[in-house]
Amino acid sequence: MRDLEKFIAGFSRFQENYCREDGLFQQLRESQHPSTLLIGCCDSRVDPALLTGSDPGELFVVRNIANIVPTCTPDAPPGVSSAIEFAVCSLQVERVIVLGHSRCGGIRALMDDVVVDAETDFVSRWMRFAARAKAQVRRELAHKTPQQQRRACEMANILCSLDNLLSYPWLRRRVEAQQLSLHGWYFDLEEGALLAYSPRQQAFLPLVCPLDRTVHIGHRG
């Protein structure tokens, strides 16, 4: 019950901040005009609006286990694909960010071949959409530790999702017309840092570096 009370109190603060007559929702109640589609993971530690300091109306967010974008096929899962279509074709967002993160439970399940329930096995069935990233890591980094392989797969999965976005013809057309940009971001939970994929360097490079946790001890007189 304490959690529910906390959530209700949180909504009351939200209402006070955003729903007054001069609040943000007076502008947003008729329509939304987000500039960015962010495809992120369901992980409770990785809230896109909190991480980016975004107000309501700034991000159109799609979240699923392991921030996966399936390839555009007639039998692609419609939940993710329809959200991408709506953001790109109807809202005409200016950019798409695929946001992955370290310690991803979905990637761990993929790499460790975890089956949650043999009867349903929803997680494993979903994670098959990231099989290409797993195969690449197994092939190229077979000599690395399981932890290193999982981290590499988290990053490879972001790149696979970016590639899969280009399989949607209406999205690809907007990218080619330079009306839409694609970005791959990686949130390092351990370091509290944000990395972005650089196609030129073919590597994830710091956008926001880790905090300096060095303890400075002053000289005693």
Side-chain angles (χ1 to χ4, degrees):
M1 285 298 295
R2 282 199 298 266
D3 284 345
L4 286 177
E5 291 169 1
K6 176 183 177 180
F7 299 154
I8 294 167
F11 183 83
S12 295
R13 290 192 297 273
F14 168 84
Q15 182 187 63
E16 184 72 18
N17 291 332
Y18 292 106
C19 298
R20 289 179 169 274
E21 287 187 6
D22 58 347
L24 180 60
F25 270 84
Q26 293 304 308
Q27 306 169 33
L28 294 176
R29 61 184 178 182
E30 298 296 336
S31 62
Q32 58 171 324
H33 303 284
S35 63
T36 303
L37 164 62
L38 190 146
I39 302 169
C41 183
C42 294
D43 193 299
S44 61
R45 301 165 294 180
V46 188
D47 183 285
L50 185 63
L51 289 177
T52 60
S54 296
D55 283 326
E58 293 184 324
L59 290 177
F60 190 83
V61 178
V62 179
R63 299 181 72 178
N64 60 61
I65 292 179
N67 43 268
I68 291 172
V69 175
T71 304
C72 181
T73 61
D75 58 348
V80 175
S81 301
S82 63
I84 294 171
E85 181 181 75
F86 184 74
V88 173
C89 298
S90 296
L91 298 177
Q92 297 190 342
V93 294
E94 299 170 11
R95 69 190 61 83
V96 182
I97 299 171
V98 177
L99 174 64
H101 66 97
S102 62
R103 304 278 181 172
C104 179
I107 295 298
R108 175 182 284 271
L110 174 69
M111 296 300 290
D112 295 351
D113 297 313
V114 173
V115 176
V116 176
D117 187 309
E119 186 175 352
T120 57
D121 196 20
F122 290 126
V123 173
S124 295
R125 285 159 55 190
W126 172 250
M127 291 309 300
R128 288 181 192 134
F129 290 108
R132 180 157 58 100
K134 175 183 178 179
Q136 177 185 344
V137 169
R138 288 278 198 246
R139 182 176 64 252
E140 298 177 3
L141 302 175
H143 58 291
K144 297 293 186 180
T145 67
Q147 183 177 353
Q148 290 171 321
Q149 289 187 12
R150 285 193 292 268
R151 184 179 176 88
C153 191
E154 290 160 355
M155 294 181 174
N157 180 54
I158 295 171
L159 301 185
C160 287
S161 288
L162 291 173
D163 285 344
N164 290 346
L165 281 170
L166 293 173
S167 69
Y168 294 80
W170 28 265
L171 185 149
R172 185 184 204 54
R173 284 194 293 269
R174 291 202 64 208
V175 170
E176 291 173 345
Q178 298 184 337
Q179 298 170 335
L180 182 70
S181 60
L182 305 183
H183 308 267
W185 286 7
Y186 181 82
F187 172 40
D188 188 325
L189 275 75
E190 291 88 350
E191 297 291 336
L194 181 65
L195 311 179
Y197 184 73
S198 168
R200 180 176 299 177
Q201 299 291 328
Q202 296 188 340
F204 281 87
L205 304 177
L207 270 181
V208 182
C209 294
L211 291 171
D212 183 1
R213 298 190 178 95
T214 304
V215 177
H216 298 282
I217 302 176
H219 295 289
R220 294 184 179 181

